[in-house]
Amino acid sequence: MFENLDVLKILGYGISGFSFLLVLLTFFLLRAEQNKDQEPRPLIIKMIWRFMLMTIFMVILNGFISLPLFNQNIKLQESVTELSNSNNEGFTKEIAQNTNQIEEIIENEGVTKNEDSLRVAMQDIIDKQNKALDSIKATLAIANSKT
């Protein structure tokens, strides 16, 4: 049933993985004692009960240790999202301003007279859009690596 169990990977989860392995070991001990044809041995049952109590203690301890870390992770994710949103709003405002400038140049002076200024404005918009996309990608990479 559990032949392909990767103990090292499970232990890589820290106390949570260790608690899971203790629960799993308790299950294996109880199952092994139940599968015997003879009468259950009182000493073995008593030791399994002690092991189960230790396992329950470890699981509860794991919950108390993990809860504050979970709350900090949520706060970190919210601050990254807020920072990303404020950066994106700034980029959007700058892009909108540049777009308005291009429209004014086109309306007031015509495209043929100001090709260079139009190119500069267009390149500025493209640069700001690329900067915004890079910021979004970096924010997503940080958010994905923290979860």
Side-chain angles (χ1 to χ4, degrees), residues 57-115:
F57 173 75
M58 285 295 293
V59 169
I60 292 172
L61 179 67
N62 178 37
F64 282 118
I65 290 173
S66 298
L67 191 60
L69 297 176
F70 180 73
N71 290 335
Q72 288 178 355
N73 190 21
I74 290 174
K75 290 176 185 175
L76 178 64
Q77 189 174 10
E78 288 172 355
S79 65
V80 167
T81 303
E82 182 180 318
L83 181 62
S84 172
N85 289 341
S86 65
N87 283 344
N88 292 340
E89 288 173 10
F91 291 134
T92 305
K93 287 178 185 176
E94 290 177 14
I95 291 170
Q97 288 172 353
N98 284 345
T99 304
N100 291 338
Q101 288 175 353
I102 291 173
E103 289 174 357
E104 286 176 11
I105 291 171
I106 291 173
E107 289 175 5
N108 295 337
E109 299 176 16
V111 177
T112 55
K113 294 180 183 177
N114 292 312
E115 281 186 29

Side-chain angles (χ1 to χ4, degrees), residues 21-143:
L21 286 177
L22 287 177
V23 169
L24 193 63
L25 187 57
T26 304
F27 168 75
F28 286 147
L29 287 172
L30 286 172
R31 189 174 73 169
E33 191 63 29
Q34 283 179 342
N35 287 340
K36 294 192 179 219
D37 291 333
Q38 59 192 19
E39 192 69 28
R41 299 171 287 181
L43 181 61
I44 298 298
I45 297 295
K46 187 177 181 180
M47 294 306 292
I48 291 174
W49 271 101
R50 287 182 181 170
F51 189 74
M52 265 194 323
L53 290 175
M54 183 186 75
T55 301
I56 291 170
F57 173 75
M58 285 295 293
V59 169
I60 292 172
L61 179 67
N62 178 37
F64 282 118
I65 290 173
S66 298
L67 191 60
L69 297 176
F70 180 73
N71 290 335
Q72 288 178 355
N73 190 21
I74 290 174
K75 290 176 185 175
L76 178 64
Q77 189 174 10
E78 288 172 355
S79 65
V80 167
T81 303
E82 182 180 318
L83 181 62
S84 172
N85 289 341
S86 65
N87 283 344
N88 292 340
E89 288 173 10
F91 291 134
T92 305
K93 287 178 185 176
E94 290 177 14
I95 291 170
Q97 288 172 353
N98 284 345
T99 304
N100 291 338
Q101 288 175 353
I102 291 173
E103 289 174 357
E104 286 176 11
I105 291 171
I106 291 173
E107 289 175 5
N108 295 337
E109 299 176 16
V111 177
T112 55
K113 294 180 183 177
N114 292 312
E115 281 186 29
D116 290 335
S117 61
L118 186 60
R119 279 192 195 118
V120 169
M122 292 285 280
Q123 188 60 44
D124 195 28
I125 287 177
I126 290 170
D127 292 342
K128 287 182 181 180
Q129 286 176 337
N130 288 337
K131 188 176 178 184
L133 288 174
D134 290 342
S135 174
I136 291 169
K137 287 178 187 175
T139 303
L140 289 175
I142 290 170

